[in-house]
Amino acid sequence: MTNKPYSESCDQNREFIQQVFEQYIDGRNTVLEIGSGTGQHAVYFSSQYADLLWQTSDLIENHQAIQAWIVDSGLDNVFSPIELDSRGDWPEQQYDILYSSNTVHIMSSDAVEQFFNKLPFCMHQNSVFLLYGPFNYDGRYTSESNARFDLWLKQRDPVSGIKNFEWLKDLGRQSGLECTEDFEMPANNRLLVWEKINS
Ligand SMILES: C[S@@+](CC[C@H](N)C(=O)[O-])C[C@H]1O[C@@H](n2cnc3c(N)ncnc32)[C@H](O)[C@@H]1O
């Protein structure tokens, strides 16, 4: 067993995310995860659904951790990370499910804009994009703890911070994506589901 980086929140939120995830996997197998972090979600979901083919990705500095989780899992349906910075090159491939957890509040606005610009090229008409994390609504925090978290994020890195749902919705529309569901999650998080607008 490798001594791997560990995220407690991944263990705490995975079953709640799974309840929604499960509603979208029928007939869908291939997954691209953006910002896999430690790789815990990738390993957990791949262990739960043997038919999934889960491609991890992240900035290069997280690849070692993700790879360690994958190797220790012994699973053969979760794949070594590819380098994916939302501002750079994306895979020239389409996936059934695009998944990203706790990423857009870490990213700068520019990185999020590019995320929404490039994501649709990795989607086909029946793909879904599941985006988990904290969001603001009408410019307001949904809780005191999210307000404190946002302050902490900005002190750490002034370009990061909790993003507005309405802004994300606009970015999605500009890229041909509609937010079709907004699920409430524990600890003042949400799980947003995006689909391609029928053209
Ligand atoms: C708070 S961690 C979340 C990790 C994991 N998804 C989770 O839920 O624990 C944020 C992740 O976003 C990634 N990230 C930050 N900026 C990014 C960018 N521009 N493109 C892709 N990933 C990025 C980080 O490397 C990190 O893995």
Side-chain angles (χ1 to χ4, degrees):
M1 208 61 156
T2 326
N3 189 15
K4 315 180 286 285
Y6 168 75
S7 156
E8 196 177 352
S9 71
C10 278
D11 276 359
Q12 289 166 344
N13 60 27
R14 64 188 195 180
E15 271 103 8
F16 297 103
I17 296 173
Q18 186 179 6
Q19 284 170 21
V20 173
F21 193 83
E22 208 152 75
Q23 299 175 34
Y24 290 91
I25 55 173
D26 242 10
R28 296 187 173 101
N29 298 93
T30 55
V31 183
L32 173 65
E33 180 180 13
I34 300 101
S36 298
T38 60
Q40 281 165 260
H41 278 165
V43 164
Y44 176 69
F45 289 117
S46 306
S47 74
Q48 298 290 299
Y49 307 102
D51 288 344
L52 283 186
L53 299 170
W54 191 290
Q55 178 62 63
T56 58
S57 82
D58 209 319
L59 310 183
I60 205 84
E61 63 247 34
N62 288 327
H63 284 204
Q64 217 180 330
I66 299 166
Q67 186 61 20
W69 276 89
I70 293 174
V71 168
D72 282 354
S73 76
L75 293 164
D76 61 7
N77 61 332
V78 53
F79 306 123
S80 298
I82 53 172
E83 187 174 1
L84 198 166
D85 182 321
S86 65
R87 296 159 294 192
D89 292 333
W90 284 59
E92 288 180 17
Q93 197 180 320
Q94 295 179 329
Y95 299 83
D96 301 328
I97 301 175
L98 292 297
Y99 172 75
S100 198
S101 149
N102 280 326
T103 47
V104 298
H105 61 268
I106 302 296
M107 295 180 191
S108 65
S109 298
D110 174 54
V112 177
E113 279 174 9
Q114 297 208 41
F115 191 136
F116 273 85
N117 268 335
K118 291 172 182 170
L119 179 85
F121 293 102
C122 290
M123 296 174 72
H124 52 72
Q125 203 57 40
N126 193 37
S127 302
V128 285
F129 168 42
L130 307 180
L131 180 64
Y132 173 89
F135 305 101
N136 288 339
Y137 290 79
D138 288 326
R140 293 195 193 91
Y141 298 108
T142 58
S143 67
E144 274 300 310
S145 63
N146 275 7
R148 283 195 300 274
F149 181 49
D150 193 42
L151 189 63
W152 177 82
L153 284 168
K154 286 175 172 139
Q155 281 168 348
R156 208 182 53 142
D157 180 357
V159 303
S160 67
I162 296 180
K163 305 296 186 288
N164 268 310
F165 172 71
E166 291 77 12
W167 179 64
L168 296 175
K169 228 163 83 166
D170 284 347
L171 288 182
R173 289 228 174 98
Q174 286 162 30
S175 290
L177 300 179
E178 190 72 52
C179 182
T180 51
E181 294 288 349
D182 175 358
F183 292 93
E184 189 173 357
M185 295 274 120
N188 307 299
N189 288 300
R190 318 287 302 186
L191 209 169
L192 308 177
V193 181
W194 309 75
E195 298 179 62
K196 279 203 163 181
I197 298 167
N198 280 328
S199 46

